[in-house]
């Protein structure tokens, strides 16, 4: 039951008055007129004291409480300019006012920071959308002539004798054309991503296929690529083609980070209702100042490449409702961790970035 604060304040006063009257009644005779006068004066004094207490409380307690109630209501409506006027008091009520003003200041700064971050993200999204459309258009315009050039070079290469010094130049040109085609394909994939076709499938098989393709890149290098499957892992809802693309990208990045001999390990596990894929290597590692940027579009620390591989991988993983994380120690290697829900909600829809 809710009791008004005025009544709460009067309870000790009334209790004191009643106790005093009872004491007087027990110690003096009720027939004594002086006793009646004492009781009358005592009662009148108690009433005056109670009135003074109420006035003081109304001025020093009720007014700040009513003001605080009004300011909280305005704050709830989004007015972050409110301030408690009683914050300069040197008592507990003043402490309450100062704490309230500090809380409002922190909320205001947090809201301003969130709004600034939102504006930055929206501006970046519009910028990337424009770049994506431009990249897609350029890629289409470049890819068709490039295919014609590649065809002509193939015909020329067939007519060159193996002893011709131009044979080596022809091979280098072909390699450069393949690199340009790879960059164009990455630009198209990033600018116009395809929605994943998610269905239950064996994630172990997807990982093995990605590792088999990666091994083709290290046939002449002392790099071991091992896969540690999770036989207990149930079918995981994913797009095998897109997830294989993600794992192959991570494996190739791991290979490129290794100078000389090394190990790349692809491990699968089931943890807390999630399928977990870890790609670790014994390569150069990633510098701490770069860890926060490696998933940004067009960011790269390599001499070649578009810087879209990891950004595209993150987009695909998030479209599967999962997340990708990285940890690294310079000079010791890196580890990328992908977490996918084993069981998706019935109304699951792909997440887009």
């Amino acid at each position: 039951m809710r009791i008004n604060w005025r009544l709460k304040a009067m309870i000790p006063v009334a209790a004191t008055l009643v106790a005093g009257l009872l004491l007087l009644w027990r110690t003096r005779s009720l027939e004594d007129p002086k006793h009646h006068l004492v009781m009358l004066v005592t009662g009148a004094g108690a009433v005056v004291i109670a009135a003074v207490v109420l006035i003081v409380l109304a001025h020093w307690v009720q007014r700040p409480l009513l003001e605080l109630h009004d300011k909280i209501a305005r704050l709830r409506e989004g007015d972050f300019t409110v301030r408690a006027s009683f914050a300069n008091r040197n008592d507990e009520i003043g402490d309450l006012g100062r704490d309230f003003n500090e809380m409002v200041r922190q909320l205001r700064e947090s809201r301003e920071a969130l709004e600034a971050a939102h504006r930055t993200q929206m501006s970046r999204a519009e910028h990337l959308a424009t770049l994506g459309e431009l990249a897609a258009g350029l890629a289409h315009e470049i890819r068709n002539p490039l295919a014609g050039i590649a065809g002509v070079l193939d015909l020329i290469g067939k007519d060159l004798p193996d002893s011709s010094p131009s044979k080596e130049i022809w091979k280098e040109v072909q390699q450069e054309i393949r690199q340009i085609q790879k960059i164009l394909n990455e630009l198209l994939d990033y600018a116009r991503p395809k929605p994943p076709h998610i269905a239950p499938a064996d994630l172990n098989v997807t990982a093995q296929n990605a590792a088999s393709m990666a091994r083709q890149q290290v046939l002449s290098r002392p790099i071991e690529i091992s896969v540690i499957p999770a036989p207990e892992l149930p079918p995981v809802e994913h797009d095998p083609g897109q997830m294989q693309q993600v794992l192959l990208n991570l494996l190739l990045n791991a290979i490129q980070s290794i100078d000389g001999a090394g190990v790349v390990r692809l491990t699968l596990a089931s943890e807390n209702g999630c399928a977990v894929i870890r790609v670790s290597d014994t390569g150069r590692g990633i510098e701490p100042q770069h860890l926060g940027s490696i998933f940004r579009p067009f960011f790269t620390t390599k001499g070649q490449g578009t810087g879209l591989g990891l950004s595209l991988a993150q987009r695909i993983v998030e479209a599967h409702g999962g997340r990708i994380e990285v940890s690294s120690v310079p000079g010791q290697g890196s580890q990328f961790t992908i977490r996918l829900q084993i069981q998706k909600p019935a109304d699951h829809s792909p997440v887009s970035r």
Side-chain angles (χ1 to χ4, degrees):
M1 181 178 64
R2 182 171 178 173
I3 302 176
N4 188 276
W5 69 270
R6 297 181 184 86
L7 181 58
K8 294 179 180 178
M10 290 303 301
I11 288 176
V13 176
T16 303
L17 175 61
V18 171
L21 292 175
L22 288 175
L23 182 62
L24 286 173
W25 180 74
R26 291 178 63 87
T27 57
R28 296 179 181 270
S29 170
L30 291 176
E31 303 296 332
D32 188 355
K34 293 182 179 181
H35 175 63
H36 294 167
L37 180 61
V38 170
M39 294 187 66
L40 180 62
V41 171
T42 303
V47 172
V48 172
I49 293 172
V52 171
V53 168
L54 286 177
I55 293 172
V56 171
L57 289 177
H59 178 75
W60 290 99
V61 178
Q62 184 183 24
R63 287 178 59 185
L65 289 179
L66 290 176
E67 179 185 344
L68 190 61
H69 184 270
D70 177 65
K71 298 294 174 64
I72 291 175
R74 290 170 56 186
L75 182 63
R76 188 182 297 115
E77 294 173 357
D79 183 1
F80 287 87
T81 63
V82 296
R83 285 184 60 83
S85 62
F86 51 87
N88 57 349
R89 285 174 48 172
N90 190 23
D91 56 11
E92 290 80 359
I93 298 296
D95 292 340
L96 178 62
R98 287 186 288 274
D99 289 341
F100 175 79
N101 290 344
E102 177 64 18
M103 178 192 71
V104 173
R105 184 190 66 80
Q106 292 180 2
L107 287 174
R108 182 173 59 251
E109 292 179 354
S110 297
R111 186 183 69 167
E112 291 172 353
L114 286 173
E115 290 176 349
H118 177 69
R119 288 193 297 268
T120 301
Q121 289 295 333
M122 291 299 295
S123 175
R124 182 178 298 172
E126 293 174 0
H127 179 65
L128 289 177
T130 303
L131 284 178
E133 291 298 323
L134 178 62
L138 287 174
H140 278 298
E141 292 297 327
I142 295 172
R143 195 161 59 168
N144 292 333
L146 189 65
I149 293 172
V152 172
L153 283 173
D154 285 338
L155 293 176
I156 293 175
K158 291 178 181 178
D159 294 335
L160 289 174
D162 293 338
S163 59
S164 173
S166 300
K167 195 75 171 179
E168 290 300 321
I169 299 176
W170 173 76
K171 291 180 181 179
E172 291 179 5
V173 172
Q174 277 195 320
Q175 183 176 353
E176 293 299 325
I177 288 177
R178 284 193 293 269
Q179 177 65 17
I180 294 173
Q181 289 174 332
K182 177 177 178 293
I183 293 173
L184 292 175
N185 290 334
E186 287 185 357
L187 283 172
L188 284 173
D189 289 340
Y190 185 80
R192 297 178 180 175
K194 298 178 182 178
H197 299 287
I198 297 178
D202 191 340
L203 197 59
N204 291 297
V205 174
T206 302
Q208 291 284 5
N209 291 338
S212 297
M213 297 180 66
R215 290 189 182 102
Q216 302 302 315
Q217 307 294 322
V218 294
L219 294 176
S220 60
R221 297 181 59 186
I223 296 177
E224 176 190 352
I225 299 178
S226 63
V227 180
I228 303 176
E232 76 285 357
L233 192 65
V236 178
E237 293 186 6
H238 69 287
D239 184 324
Q242 290 195 5
M243 196 54 59
Q244 181 176 310
Q245 177 185 352
V246 170
L247 296 179
L248 180 59
N249 183 277
L250 296 179
L251 291 169
L252 293 179
N253 285 347
I255 291 170
Q256 293 171 7
S257 72
I258 297 175
D259 299 320
V263 176
V264 178
R265 184 170 289 106
L266 198 163
T267 307
L268 294 95
S270 175
E271 298 177 3
N272 301 321
C274 290
V276 180
I277 311 170
R278 294 184 174 90
V279 178
S280 58
D281 62 69
T282 57
R284 295 184 297 273
I286 304 171
E287 296 297 328
Q289 65 269 25
H290 294 154
L291 277 177
S293 303
I294 61 173
F295 292 111
R296 282 173 43 197
F298 308 109
F299 177 85
T300 179
T301 57
K302 305 174 187 176
Q304 296 180 339
T306 60
L308 291 173
L310 288 177
S311 180
L312 185 59
Q314 184 184 51
R315 174 182 285 179
I316 292 174
V317 171
E318 291 182 352
H320 282 71
R323 68 180 189 272
I324 181 171
E325 303 165 346
V326 59
S327 61
S328 183
V329 178
Q332 298 184 24
S334 305
Q335 177 172 278
F336 286 82
T337 302
I338 298 174
R339 299 182 187 276
L340 300 174
Q341 291 183 357
I342 293 178
Q343 303 230 345
K344 300 277 194 310
D347 59 345
H348 170 74
S349 58
V351 178
S352 61
R353 287 186 70 214

